[in-house]
Amino acid sequence: MTSSVLWRTRYQTAMVEMTKYTRYMANGGLLFTVYFVVLYGLVVYGRFLDQLNPDFPGNLVMGSLFILLAFYRSTRTFLVEADQVFLLPVLPDLANYMKRVRVYNAFYGLIRAIIPFLAVSVLYVRTEDTTPVELFVLFAALSMVGAAANLSKLEGVGHRIVLLYATGAGVLVMLGMGLFSIVVTSLLLLTIYLKKQDQLPLMDWISLEQESRDRFYRIANWFVDVPRLSTTYKRRRLLSHLVEKIGFDHKRTFDYLYLKQFIRSTDGIGLIVRLTLIGVLFMWLGKDNAWLVTLAVPAFGGLTSFQLAPFTRAIDSHLLTRLLPFGDATASKRKVLRLASFLQVVILSLAGFILSGFATVFVGAIAALVIGEYYARKK
Amino acid sequence: MLLKINDLSGGYGSKKVLHHINISVHQGELVGLIGLNGAGKSTTIKHILGLLPVKSGEILINGVSLEQDEQMYRKQVAYIPEQPMLYEQLTLREHLRLMAQGYAVEEKQAQERIEHYAARLRMTKQLEWFPSVFSKGMKQKAMILCALITGSELLIVDEPFVGLDPLAIRELLTIFSELKADGKGILMSTHILETAERHCNRFILLNEGQIAAEGTTQELRQRYELSNGSLDDIYVAAIEEAER
C-alpha cells in the first residue's frame, strides 16, 4: 500500500466517522443549550467590552493566550491498532504519509487559534495602540504555537519545550513587544523540525490516534452511545471514602455503583466543577445586569443536567450490572442527578447573589431545579 | 434439582441456535458443557443467565423461573464469563463489595469471603487496584472472585482456565471441589478436556444446538464403544457420529 492510498483511505474513513457522529450530535437537544450558552456568552462579553476601561491590560490577556494555547495538544494520525501488524512491511516507505499527517495537524493547530484570537483581539484593539500588521503578526505567531503544540506531540518533543517557547512569546506580548513574538515561535517550529522523526513511530502514533478519538467520542457520547469508549478514572480518595459510608444494604446497590461512577468519571463531578466555574465567570462578567446573572443559573444548571443525564449509560449495559439481582437502578440514578443538580444550583445562586446582589438569581435557581428534575426523570 | 432446562429453544433474534435441549444440574455436581465452536454453549449460558429471551421451553433454578421471580432467580446464579468484564472505575475490592451487596450477602460474611478467596487466588495485593492495570490472568481471577463472593447456589462458568497460571487453575479446581461438597452446582463450559475429564461428574456434548451425547465418562465410553478412550476420543467420536 502506498502512502497516498493509505492517507486517502484513512482520512476518508475518519471523516465519514466524524460526520456520522456530528450528525447525531446535531440532532440532539444539547445543541440548543450550547447555542444558548454561546449566544449568552457573546452578549455578556459584548457588554463587558462596551464597559471596558481603556487601562484594562489587554496585552496581558493576549500574552496569556499564547501560554494557554500551548497547554492543549491534540493530534490525529489516522492509524489503527491493526496497523502494528499490517503496516510493518511497508513502514520504511511511509515518509509521504508522515508528511501529510504533519500538514494536517499543523493546519488543525492553526484553525484552533482563530476563535480565541478573534475573541481576544477585539479586546486588544480597544486597550492597546496597535496596527493591522501587528495584529497579523500576532495571529501568525499564535497559529505557530497551535501548530507547534500539535506537531511536538507527533515528533515526541516534550510539552515543556513548547510551553517554554510559548511563555517566552507570551511575555514579549505582555511587555508590548508583540512583533518579536514571531521570532520566538519560529524558533519553536525550527526546534521541532530539527527533532522530527525519520521513521514512523508506529506504536506512538497509534496511541495518539486512540487518545484523540477517545476525546472526540467522549463528547459524542453525551448525545449518542459510543461503543468501546475507553476512559481514565481518578481515584478521588476523600469522595470515595464518603461513598463507602453508604449502608451495606442490597436495596442501595445502585447508589453505591452510580456514586462511584459519578465521582470517578470526568463526565461526572469533573463536568460539574468545570461548568460551575465557567458559570461563575460568566456571572462575574455580567454582574451589573440582573437578567444575565439570573439566566446564568438555569443555563449552566441545564447544560450540566443534560450532559449528566446519560452518565450511567456505559455501566447500565455492563454484564455485571445486568446480573445484579437487587437494587433499584432508576431510583438511584435519579437520586444522584438530583443531588448533583441541587449542589450546583446552590453554589451558582450563592455565587450570583454575592457577585451581583440581585435576589432574582433565586428565581433562576428554581428554574434550574425544574430543568434538573426534568432530566432526572427522563428515561 | 438445582438447574432444570426443559425443551429449550432459543437464539439471537430470529436466528435459532438451540433446538429443544434438556439439561439438568444437581446439587453437589460439576457438569461439563462441551462442544465445537458455535455449538451453542455460550447461547445456552446466556439463556440461563436471562440475557437472551427464551423462545420456547423453560429454565428453572431451584424450581423458580426468571419470569416467576427475577430477584430470587438471579440471586441463585453467579457467572464467570470467558472474557473478563470489569468496571473500569471500580477497584477490585469495590467490585467485590458491589457484588456482595447486590446479591444481599451479609457485610461480615462478605468481608470474610473477600479476604479468604483473594488470598487463595493470590489477589490480596491487587484488591485496591483498578482493572486497567491488571494482566489478563488477573482480570480473569477478578471475575472468579466476583462470582465466588455471591455465594450463589449455581455457578455458570465459561472457559474459566483461559489466561490463568497453573497455580490458579489448581486452586480454582480445589475451590470447585469445595463448592460441590458444600452442595453447590456448577455448569462449566470448557475446551480443556483433560482437566474436565478429571473433575466433572457428567458431560453434556452440544452439537449444532442439540445435545449429541450426555453422561459420565464411563457411560460415554460405553455409548461410543471406547473402553479405554479419553474424553478427547469420545468427543471426536461423538462429533463424527453427529455429523454423519
Side-chain angles (χ1 to χ4, degrees), chain B residues 83-214:
Chain B
Q83 293 291 335
M85 278 175 264
L86 294 155
Y87 297 108
E88 287 177 43
Q89 66 274 31
L90 298 190
T91 64
L92 175 55
R93 189 184 290 282
E94 289 163 353
H95 273 90
L96 299 177
R97 179 200 154 146
L98 177 78
M99 294 308 287
Q101 195 170 345
Y103 274 76
V105 179
E106 290 285 322
E107 187 173 4
K108 190 165 172 285
Q109 196 175 27
Q111 287 306 329
E112 285 169 6
R113 281 187 193 157
I114 289 172
E115 301 306 331
H116 173 75
Y117 284 122
R120 290 185 68 176
L121 288 176
R122 295 163 191 264
M123 290 289 280
T124 306
K125 201 172 77 179
Q126 286 79 14
L127 280 171
E128 311 305 332
W129 294 11
F130 283 106
S132 56
V133 293
F134 282 180
S135 67
K136 193 182 173 197
M138 285 177 190
K139 284 182 182 168
Q140 186 63 8
K141 285 182 188 178
M143 293 309 299
I144 293 168
L145 287 171
C146 283
L148 293 176
I149 230 70
T150 64
S152 295
E153 293 296 306
L154 176 67
L155 201 55
I156 306 290
V157 192
D158 197 357
E159 294 291 350
F161 309 120
V162 177
L164 290 187
D165 58 68
L167 281 181
I169 292 175
R170 195 171 65 177
E171 195 58 42
L172 181 61
L173 289 166
T174 310
I175 291 171
F176 283 171
S177 301
E178 291 168 5
L179 292 175
K180 276 164 53 181
D182 206 24
K184 316 271 191 206
I186 305 165
L187 180 68
M188 177 172 74
S189 158
T190 183
H191 287 298
I192 304 177
L193 299 182
E194 199 184 331
T195 310
E197 187 176 352
R198 275 189 278 129
H199 292 88
C200 291
N201 302 93
R202 277 191 304 123
F203 299 95
I204 295 161
L205 203 155
L206 277 179
N207 187 55
E208 295 187 351
Q210 290 175 316
I211 294 178
E214 187 180 359

Side-chain angles (χ1 to χ4, degrees), chain B residues 63-82:
Chain B
V64 177
S65 73
L66 188 76
E67 293 74 27
Q68 284 167 345
D69 187 343
E70 186 173 351
Q71 287 190 338
M72 179 54 75
Y73 182 94
R74 290 201 181 283
K75 185 177 168 11
Q76 295 184 97
V77 59
Y79 176 48
I80 303 173
E82 182 184 2

Side-chain angles (χ1 to χ4, degrees), chain A residues 196-234:
Chain A
K196 77 172 181 165
Q197 320 222 37
D198 294 329
Q199 187 159 324
L200 200 155
L202 201 50
M203 295 301 286
D204 291 344
W205 279 29
I206 290 169
S207 326
L208 289 179
E209 175 66 13
Q210 188 59 44
E211 192 184 296
S212 185
R213 275 171 189 234
D214 281 353
R215 197 175 296 127
F216 174 73
Y217 288 150
R218 263 196 292 279
I219 297 169
N221 202 46
W222 295 344
F223 307 83
V224 61
D225 274 327
V226 177
R228 284 185 288 182
L229 178 71
S230 61
T231 320
T232 52
Y233 293 95
K234 294 191 173 78

Side-chain angles (χ1 to χ4, degrees), chain A residues 102-113:
Chain A
R102 286 183 184 120
V103 170
Y104 173 88
N105 284 289
F107 183 70
Y108 180 67
L110 182 152
I111 296 287
R112 198 153 47 83

